[in-house]
Amino acid sequence: MIMRPSGRAPDQLRTVILETGVSRHAEGSCIAKFGDTHVLCTASVEEKVPPFLRNTGKGWVTAEYGMLPRSTHTRTDREAAKGKQSGRTHEIQRLIGRSLRSVTDLAAMGERQIKIDCDVLQADGGTRTASITGAFVALHLAFQRLVRLELLKAIPLTDHVAAISCGIYEGVAVLDLDYPEDSNAQADANFVMTGTGGIVEIQGTAEERPFSRTQFLELTDLAEAGIRQLVEAQKKALGLS
Amino acid sequence: MIMRPSGRAPDQLRTVILETGVSRHAEGSCIAKFGDTHVLCTASVEEKVPPFLRNTGKGWVTAEYGMLPRSTHTRTDREAAKGKQSGRTHEIQRLIGRSLRSVTDLAAMGERQIKIDCDVLQADGGTRTASITGAFVALHLAFQRLVRLELLKAIPLTDHVAAISCGIYEGVAVLDLDYPEDSNAQADANFVMTGTGGIVEIQGTAEERPFSRTQFLELTDLAEAGIRQLVEAQKKALGLS
Amino acid sequence: MIMRPSGRAPDQLRTVILETGVSRHAEGSCIAKFGDTHVLCTASVEEKVPPFLRNTGKGWVTAEYGMLPRSTHTRTDREAAKGKQSGRTHEIQRLIGRSLRSVTDLAAMGERQIKIDCDVLQADGGTRTASITGAFVALHLAFQRLVRLELLKAIPLTDHVAAISCGIYEGVAVLDLDYPEDSNAQADANFVMTGTGGIVEIQGTAEERPFSRTQFLELTDLAEAGIRQLVEAQKKALGLS
Amino acid sequence: MIMRPSGRAPDQLRTVILETGVSRHAEGSCIAKFGDTHVLCTASVEEKVPPFLRNTGKGWVTAEYGMLPRSTHTRTDREAAKGKQSGRTHEIQRLIGRSLRSVTDLAAMGERQIKIDCDVLQADGGTRTASITGAFVALHLAFQRLVRLELLKAIPLTDHVAAISCGIYEGVAVLDLDYPEDSNAQADANFVMTGTGGIVEIQGTAEERPFSRTQFLELTDLAEAGIRQLVEAQKKALGLS
Amino acid sequence: MIMRPSGRAPDQLRTVILETGVSRHAEGSCIAKFGDTHVLCTASVEEKVPPFLRNTGKGWVTAEYGMLPRSTHTRTDREAAKGKQSGRTHEIQRLIGRSLRSVTDLAAMGERQIKIDCDVLQADGGTRTASITGAFVALHLAFQRLVRLELLKAIPLTDHVAAISCGIYEGVAVLDLDYPEDSNAQADANFVMTGTGGIVEIQGTAEERPFSRTQFLELTDLAEAGIRQLVEAQKKALGLS
Amino acid sequence: MIMRPSGRAPDQLRTVILETGVSRHAEGSCIAKFGDTHVLCTASVEEKVPPFLRNTGKGWVTAEYGMLPRSTHTRTDREAAKGKQSGRTHEIQRLIGRSLRSVTDLAAMGERQIKIDCDVLQADGGTRTASITGAFVALHLAFQRLVRLELLKAIPLTDHVAAISCGIYEGVAVLDLDYPEDSNAQADANFVMTGTGGIVEIQGTAEERPFSRTQFLELTDLAEAGIRQLVEAQKKALGLS
C-alpha cells in the first residue's frame, strides 16, 4: 500500500473548510480551504447583462480567476503587470463559469449578472476545484440576498455543483491531489458534478503516460464519493442542513 | 431512431481525408479533412529549444492554433487584429501540444523544437480533433525527414495519437459531431487516445443539462471505435500500412 | 541575356490560377495562385457600415491580410500570438482596401460593408499583388450573389482592378518577381491598375541603389502588359469572357 | 466639534492589527489591517537582481500593488483582464518601493532582490498607507529569515518606515481617513516617515479647494503622532519590543 | 556657501519664458521655458464631456504629458512604440490635470472639455513644473477665445496656478532644480500653488536619506517665493498686468 | 488656369526653412518647415546595433515618426495613450528609414546605429516629405560630429536624399500639396530622390479616380524640379554651398 505524502487514505479528502461572510462589500463571499489551498470567492451582483442578453429577460453568471503572486511556492509573475492572462487562467475561469451556469436557471434570475471572482490566496494543488466549490457558496449567498431584498421570489439554482480532482499517484487512484502529488501524478482528472450526481464536466489528462479505461473508472468512483462530501459541506456552510 | 442532420449512423465518422505534402516549405504538412472541417497542419523544425530545456539534451513539441476569419459560418474577428488570442484558442493549442508530447520521446528527439501550426481553413465542428489527428501526421513526416537527413536514427514517437468528439444529440450518443449537432448537443466530449487504446485526454462538458455516468460510458465506447479508424487513416497517409 | 532563376522570359508572368468557390461559408471566395504563391481571398458581406458612414446610404469595402506562420521559407511568428500586426501587414491591407475601393461605386452598393480577407497559405514573392488580384474576384462574386438575391440591381463595380510587381534583377527589368528574384532585386515596384489601364497605385522602391526615370518607365511598360493578362484571367474566372 | 463618521477623535487611528506569518510560502508575510482596510503583504526573496545592479554587490527592494476586484464597495475591473495597470496602481507601487528602500542598506543586503506584493483584500480608505506599514513588517521578516539561514550577518535595515494619511474633513484636521471621510475631504495627505521621525515622502493634495500652510502643519503634527503608534505596532508584531 | 552648477543663488529661478500663440491650430498654446527645459503646452476645446459628466451641465479639464524621445540627454524609448505609457507619465499627467481643475469653475465652463497636451521638447529638470505653469497659460488662452466667441460670459478660472520644484542640494535648500542638481539632490519636492498662496499639491521625496521637518519648511518658503514670480510671468504673458 | 488655395504657381514649393542645431542634446537636429508644416528631426547615435548586425562591422540607420496630438487641425489621439502606433505611422517611419539608408554607406559608418526621430510639431500637409528632407540634415550633422570626434574618417553618405509630394488638383499637376489641396486632390504622389536625380521611392495613389501614365509623368517632372531646390536648401543649411 502506498503512503501519500500527507498520510491520507487514497479516498480521503483534505480538511475542507467553507467560511462564509468574509468580505464586507461583496453580495456573497466564501473562503474555500482544501487543506493548504485557500481561495477567496466573491459574488458581485450587477443590474445589467452582457450585450448578447439585453432585452431577453435572462441573466448571466460569469467568473474570473487569479492567483496572488506569492500564493505559489516560488513567486509567480503578476498577470496585471505582464499585461495578459495566461492560457491556464482563461481555461480555469471559463470552467468555473460553465460549472455555475449548469445549475443556474438563467431565465429565473432576471436580467442581471453575477460576477464571481476566485482569487487564490495560497496554493497547494486543486485551486480550480476549491474555486468551483467555494464559488457555488458565494453565488448561493448572493441569491439569498436578492431573495431577502425581494428582488427574486426564489433562489434560481436547480442543484448544487462542486468539483474535486483525482489522479493516479504511484500507480494508485487517489482523491484530492495536493501539490506534491499533483506534480508527480501519472494522470490527473478534475470532475465537476451536481448534488444529484450528474456530471457537468470531466477533464482527464495523462501526464506521464496514457491511462486505461479501467483506471479512469476508478477515478470516477473516487470523485463521486468526494463530491458527496463537498456538497454536504456546502449545505452546512449555507445553513441548509 | 434519430436522424442525424447529415444522415449518418450514430457511430459513423464523417469522411476523413488526410492529405500530406501540402506545403512547399514546411518540414511536414497535412490537411486534415473531417467532412467540411478542413485544417492545415504544418510542422516546423527549429534547432533550438525553449530556455527551460537548454543543455538538457531534450527536445520539445509545441502547437499553435488559429482560425481564418471566414472559416466560420459568419466572419469571426481576426485575433491578430484584436491583439490577443481568445481563451478558446489558448485552450485548444495547449491541448494539441500536450497530446503530441504524450507520444513523443522528448529525450530521443534531441535538443530541438518542433512547432506545429494548425490553421482552420474551413470549420464545421470538430476543429480541435481534426487538428490533433492531422498534427500527428505532420509531426511524423517531420521526424521522417530528420531520419532521412540522418539527424535522427529512428522516429522518436512511441505510438499514434488521434482525437475525436462525441456527444448526446437528441438523447442519443453519436460520434464525430458536425456543426449543426454541436450547437444543439446536450453534452459533448473530446477524446484523445493513442493507437494502442490508452487515454491521453478526456474533456466532457454538459451543455444543456448534466449527463450520467452511463451516458459517459457510451460516449467512451463510440470514441474508442472512432479513434481506431482515425489511426488507420493516419497509417495509410503515412504509408505505414 | 540574363537567366531568371525560374527560367522565365523577362516579360513572363508565373502561371496564374484564380480558383473560385473555394470556401463553403464566404459570400465570395478565390484562391489566387501566382506560381508558388497561394493566397486565399474571401469576401464577407455585413449589413452594417463603420460609424463614419452610418445613415449616409453609402457602403464600404475594407481588407485584412495575414500570413500563415509556415507560409514562409522559415517559420514566421504568428501575429495573433505576438499581439500585434506588423507595419508591413498594415501597409498591405490598407493597399488592398484602397485598390478595391478605387473601382467600387460605394454609393451604389448600399449601406453595407464587404470585408475581404487575404490569407497567404504559401508565399514565394508577390503576395500583395496576388492578394489584390484575387480579392477583386472574391469581391465580384459577393456582388454577384447580392444581385442574385435581388439586394442589388447591378454589380457596383466600375472596372477591374489587378496588381503586379516588376523589378530590376541583374540589371534587367523583369515582370512578376518570385522570392529568389525579390530578395536580390536592385529595385522593385508594385503597380495596381484598372482594366482600362488607369493607374490606381504605384509603389517603387530602390533596394540596392537608386534607379533612373528610364528604368522606371520600363517597369511601367512591363506592368501594363502583365495587368492586361491578369484582367483576362479574372474575366475567365468570373465567367465574363 | 465635528463628529467623524466612525465616531473617532480627530487624532485617533483606526484599530491597527499587523498579523504575521499568514502565508505558507512567502519568506515574510503580514496582513495589515487599518480598521476595515485589509492588505496582504508578502516578501519574496530572489537570488538575482535587475540588470542595472548585476555585479555591483548591491541588492534591490521593489514592490507591486493590486486590489482584488471585490475589495471595493462596488466591483472594480480586474487589471489582469484589462491588460494594464492603472496610473494609480503604478503610482502606489512606486511609492511603496521608494519608501522601503529609504530604510534599507542595499549594499549590506547582498546581490539579491526582495519583491514585496501588497494585495488589498478589502478596502476602506488608506490602502497605500496600510501597504507600506505592513510591507515593512514582511520585509523585516524576510531579512530575519536570511539572518537565521546565515545568508546575512545582520538585518540590513537602518530604521523603521511606516505611513499614514491625514486630511481636512469638515474643516478639521483628522488622522487616518476611512473611505467615507476620504471621499468628502477638502484635502488629504499621505506621510511616509521613519521610526526616528525623518520624512521619507509627503504627498498632499487639495481636493475641493487649496489649503493653507497652517493647515498643512496641522496635518504634519497629526501624522507624526500617528506614525509613532504605527512603529510601536510594527515592533510588537516583530517581537522587537 | 555652495556653488550651484549653474552659478545661481539658492533662491534664484532659471530664466523663465512663457511664449504664447505658438501653435496654428490649438485654441490656446504656450511654450514654457525654465532655462533649458522647454515644454509645448496646447489646449484643445471639445464640445463634449466624458461619460460621467454627460447631462450634468459641468465641464472637464484633463491633461496628457509626453517627452519627445530625444528631449533627454540620452535618447528615451518612444512610449507609442513601446505600446504603453510609463508610471511616471501617468503620475505627471494626473498631477497636471488635478492642478488645473483646482482653479477651474467646472460648472461655469459649460458642458465641454479642454484637453491640455504638455509635450517636452527639451528636458533639463523640472518638466512637470514647467508643464503646469505653461498649461495654465494655454488653458487661460483657450477660455479667452471662448469668451471672444461669446460661448462663455467670463473666464471660469478662480485663480492662477503654477508649480516649482525645490530640493536639498549639498545640504542647502535650493529653488528650481535643473538636471545636474536633480540627479544629486538629497531630497526634492514639487509644489503646486495658486496665485493667492493656497497649496494645491505638495510632493516631497527623500532620495538619499530622510529629511527633517525644518528642512521641509525651508523648501516651502523657497517655493512660495518662486511661485509668486511664476504667477507674475503668467500675468505678463497673458497681458493681465 | 487654376488658383491654388495658397495662391502659389503649380510648380512652386512652399517657403522651405531648414533650421539646424535646435536640440541641446541630440547629436544632430533640424526643424524642417515646409510652409506651416513643421517637423523636429533629431539624430541619436548609439554605439550598438540591432541583433541581426552584431559583429558584422556594419551600422544601421532607422527612424521613428510621431505627431504631437495638437499638431493637427483638430486634436488627434496620442498614440502612446492608445497603446499602439497606427498603420500610417508605421508606413511613414519605414519610408524615412529606407530613404536614409539608400544614401548611407552602412559598412563605412561602423558598427553603430543612428536613430532619427521625426516629430511633427505642426501639420499642414506633406509631413512625410518634410520629415525625410529634414532627417537627412540631422543625419548629416550627426555624421559631421562623429568625424569631428575622429570616430569616423569621412561622412559615410553617398548622396543627398530629399522628398516632395505632388498631386493632381482640380485637374492640374501641382507641386508640394498643402492640407487644403491634399484633402481634395484627385491623386497624390510622394517622390524620394537623391541629389543626383536617382529615384529612391515613388508612391502614387489615386484618390478619386485612376490617373493616366501621362499625368504620372507630369508629376515626375514637377518632383524632379522640386527635389533640386530642396537639395540646394539642405546644402545651404549644412554649410556645403
Side-chain angles (χ1 to χ4, degrees), chain E:
Chain E
M1 188 190 154
I2 62 144
M3 181 56 99
R4 300 179 68 174
S6 59
R8 282 186 283 151
D11 63 348
Q12 192 182 345
L13 290 176
R14 289 177 282 182
T15 304
V16 172
I17 298 172
L18 302 173
E19 191 183 342
T20 60
V22 295
S23 157
R24 182 184 158 85
H25 304 308
E27 281 74 35
S29 66
C30 174
I31 291 189
K33 299 186 180 175
F34 282 25
D36 281 322
T37 290
H38 302 177
V39 184
L40 173 56
C41 307
T42 58
S44 299
V45 179
E46 297 182 0
E47 293 296 322
K48 64 172 202 178
V49 287
F52 71 94
L53 284 178
R54 265 176 220 152
N55 303 318
T56 63
K58 284 193 179 181
W60 193 244
V61 176
T62 186
E64 289 187 9
Y65 170 92
M67 299 184 89
L68 293 193
R70 197 51 196 282
S71 61
T72 44
H73 285 71
T74 56
R75 190 178 180 276
T76 307
D77 284 345
R78 189 178 289 268
E79 290 189 330
K82 288 197 294 183
K84 64 175 183 172
Q85 295 177 297
S86 69
R88 179 184 171 277
T89 294
H90 277 111
E91 220 172 281
I92 294 177
Q93 63 194 10
R94 283 154 55 93
L95 173 63
I96 302 170
R98 278 201 310 273
S99 299
L100 296 173
R101 288 193 298 274
S102 76
V103 294
T104 307
D105 183 341
L106 299 174
M109 75 179 276
E111 203 166 314
R112 55 173 62 86
Q113 181 169 223
I114 299 190
K115 284 192 183 153
I116 304 293
D117 287 287
C118 295
D119 284 277
V120 178
L121 304 181
Q122 191 173 279
D124 188 45
T127 65
R128 82 185 68 188
T129 54
S131 293
I132 292 168
T133 306
F136 175 80
V137 174
L139 177 63
H140 199 288
L141 290 168
F143 280 134
Q144 286 182 15
R145 190 172 176 279
L146 290 171
V147 170
R148 269 200 315 278
L149 296 173
E150 299 188 0
L151 290 163
L152 285 180
K153 294 219 176 105
I155 289 176
L157 291 168
T158 58
D159 203 341
H160 279 245
V161 71
I164 199 67
S165 73
C166 336
I168 300 171
Y169 176 75
E170 305 212 345
V172 177
V174 298
L175 182 67
D176 190 18
L177 306 177
D178 53 26
Y179 181 78
E181 291 170 333
D182 198 20
S183 8
N184 289 288
Q186 175 202 332
D188 73 82
N190 291 291
F191 292 82
V192 184
M193 298 176 71
T194 63
T196 51
I199 302 172
V200 169
E201 187 104 19
I202 292 181
Q203 294 180 335
T205 303
E207 294 293 339
E208 211 180 282
R209 59 175 171 277
F211 50 89
S212 70
R213 185 171 175 155
T214 310
Q215 287 177 310
F216 191 67
L217 288 179
E218 280 177 37
L219 299 181
T220 310
D221 287 337
L222 284 175
E224 284 184 346
I227 296 278
R228 271 195 300 271
Q229 298 174 59
L230 294 174
V231 171
E232 279 317 300
Q234 288 177 334
K235 286 184 181 163
K236 218 163 120 188
L238 288 164
L240 302 176
S241 62

Side-chain angles (χ1 to χ4, degrees), chain F residues 32-47:
Chain F
K33 299 186 180 176
F34 282 25
D36 282 321
T37 290
H38 301 177
V39 184
L40 173 57
C41 307
T42 58
S44 299
V45 179
E46 298 181 0
E47 292 296 323

